[in-house]
Amino acid sequence: MPKPNSTFVTEFVFEGFSSFGWRHRLVFFVVFLTLYLLTLSGNVIIVTIIPLDRHLHTPMYFFLSMLSVSETCYTVAIIPRMLSGLLNPHQTIDIQGCATQLFFYLTFGINNCFLLTAMGYDRYVAICNPLRYSVIMGKRACVRLSSGSLGIGLGMAIVQVTSVFGLPFCDGFVISHFFCDVRPLLKLACADTTLNEIVNLAVSVCVLVLPMGLVFISYILIISTILKIASADGRKKAFATCASHLTVVIIHYGCASVVYLKPKSQSSLGQDRLISVTYTVITPLLNPVVYSLRNKEVKDALRRALGRKPLSP
């Protein structure tokens, strides 16, 4: 219960990177802005080129385009305000704005997790069951998988936002982060948060452990199938189609798991803030750069769009 004579909070202040001097913040601003613009540019290219080039009309590139849209929405929810906070520390945000930011952050963050799982399933079917690939991964199945990912994201976000903002906030108003996240907000609540911590852990397990487990089971089956391929070129090509996806998966799930699955007793908001920079600024750049723009088919599509000859094998 709220303490007597406590004042209910109507707005929060982000601590952000205010502990750093203005020179360091300026460097962070330039670096983060550059990464953000590269992420937006890469995602715009992917979302534009995939529908235009018939060679990319496959399930893998459909999921890539959906991931690019989701990553764009995810970064737009966080990074512009973070950049503004680097230039103008101790920015305020009202409770409604904070709830809105948390909702979109969770919706698209969770959507990303399940889209990566769908992409892992696509690679599993392509390598382990190639003769039935076009039947299993038809247009309807792809739409259902991407819609299901977004639906899970929306549902989980509603649960989390309702859980957090059903609590009273009084006296404490400084969020030890650069955006509205669950754990920093729970630390500001002036009521027992045990049930909310359990809800947060349950959601984290559902959106991190379950998809991560499915992806790694898929890759165990994929690797066992690849090792049975007789030709060295065939094995190399099969591994190449999976390497980029596996890289993104490990970094994405790894960073998020460290923050959201770590016991509360071991939680350090300062450490979590640094890890959060990785999965809000750096990881979104991996999709367009590591996963797509280094892909020969995407580069060939770009060259065709620019009227140039595709690269030779």
Side-chain angles (χ1 to χ4, degrees):
M1 292 294 291
K3 298 176 183 178
N5 301 323
S6 58
T7 305
F8 284 94
V9 172
T10 58
E11 64 180 22
F12 299 107
V13 175
F14 290 119
E15 183 179 323
F17 300 91
S18 59
S19 59
F20 293 90
W22 71 267
R23 287 187 179 88
H24 289 101
R25 293 202 311 272
L26 186 59
V27 171
F28 290 155
F29 176 83
V30 172
V31 172
F32 294 161
L33 177 61
T34 301
L35 293 174
Y36 179 52
L37 293 176
L38 286 173
T39 301
L40 288 180
S41 302
N43 284 329
V44 167
I45 290 171
I46 291 167
V47 172
T48 304
I49 201 70
I50 288 176
L52 292 178
D53 195 294
R54 59 183 178 81
H55 297 88
L56 302 182
H57 292 178
T58 64
M60 183 176 78
Y61 291 109
F62 170 78
F63 289 125
L64 269 177
S65 63
M66 292 298 100
L67 185 62
S68 293
V69 171
S70 183
E71 290 279 24
T72 300
C73 296
Y74 173 78
T75 53
V76 166
I78 304 296
I79 297 181
R81 185 175 281 274
M82 181 191 74
L83 292 172
S84 176
L86 285 168
L87 298 178
N88 182 23
H90 302 298
Q91 283 195 335
T92 61
I93 185 171
D94 60 33
I95 283 189
Q96 292 80 8
C98 190
T100 302
Q101 185 184 55
L102 180 62
F103 174 77
F104 285 110
Y105 162 71
L106 291 173
T107 296
F108 292 109
I110 294 169
N111 183 43
N112 293 344
C113 288
F114 283 93
L115 280 175
L116 287 171
T117 307
M119 294 163 87
Y121 176 67
D122 172 70
R123 293 298 82 208
Y124 160 74
V125 176
I127 293 172
C128 299
N129 203 350
L131 296 179
R132 299 195 64 228
Y133 178 70
S134 59
V135 176
I136 296 172
M137 297 303 296
K139 185 179 292 186
R140 183 176 295 181
C142 293
V143 171
R144 284 177 176 173
L145 285 169
S146 61
S147 300
S149 298
L150 183 58
I152 293 171
L154 286 166
M156 293 295 187
I158 290 170
V159 169
Q160 284 280 58
V161 172
T162 303
S163 169
V164 171
F165 287 93
L167 292 167
F169 296 95
C170 32
D171 297 333
F173 61 90
V174 179
I175 298 176
S176 299
H177 215 322
F178 54 85
F179 67 95
C180 293
D181 200 2
V182 176
R183 276 192 169 174
L185 286 167
L186 290 180
K187 286 186 178 290
L188 296 180
C190 51
D192 181 29
T193 61
T194 303
L195 180 59
N196 307 82
E197 294 283 354
I198 293 170
V199 169
N200 184 43
L201 179 61
V203 170
S204 299
V205 168
C206 288
V207 305
L208 290 173
V209 177
L210 178 60
M212 190 163 46
L214 292 173
V215 169
F216 285 118
I217 289 170
S218 297
Y219 272 99
I220 290 171
L221 297 172
I222 286 170
I223 291 169
S224 66
T225 301
I226 290 174
L227 293 175
K228 294 174 185 175
I229 298 174
S231 73
D233 286 343
R235 288 195 298 271
K236 184 179 178 181
K237 185 177 180 181
F239 273 122
T241 62
C242 301
S244 297
H245 176 252
L246 195 56
T247 301
V248 174
V249 164
I250 290 171
I251 295 174
H252 180 89
Y253 286 129
C255 292
S257 297
V258 168
V259 173
Y260 293 104
L261 297 178
K262 186 166 54 179
K264 185 180 178 181
S265 59
Q266 298 177 16
S267 180
S268 164
L269 291 180
Q271 186 183 57
D272 290 353
R273 200 181 318 168
L274 292 175
I275 298 170
S276 297
V277 170
T278 303
Y279 67 78
T280 56
V281 180
I282 299 171
T283 304
L285 185 60
L286 292 177
N287 175 40
V289 174
V290 175
Y291 204 170
S292 300
L293 299 182
R294 290 188 64 205
N295 183 299
K296 181 180 179 298
E297 291 177 323
V298 174
K299 287 192 286 189
D300 283 348
L302 283 170
R303 294 179 73 86
R304 281 191 291 269
L306 296 172
R308 298 178 182 177
K309 186 178 177 181
L311 298 169
S312 57

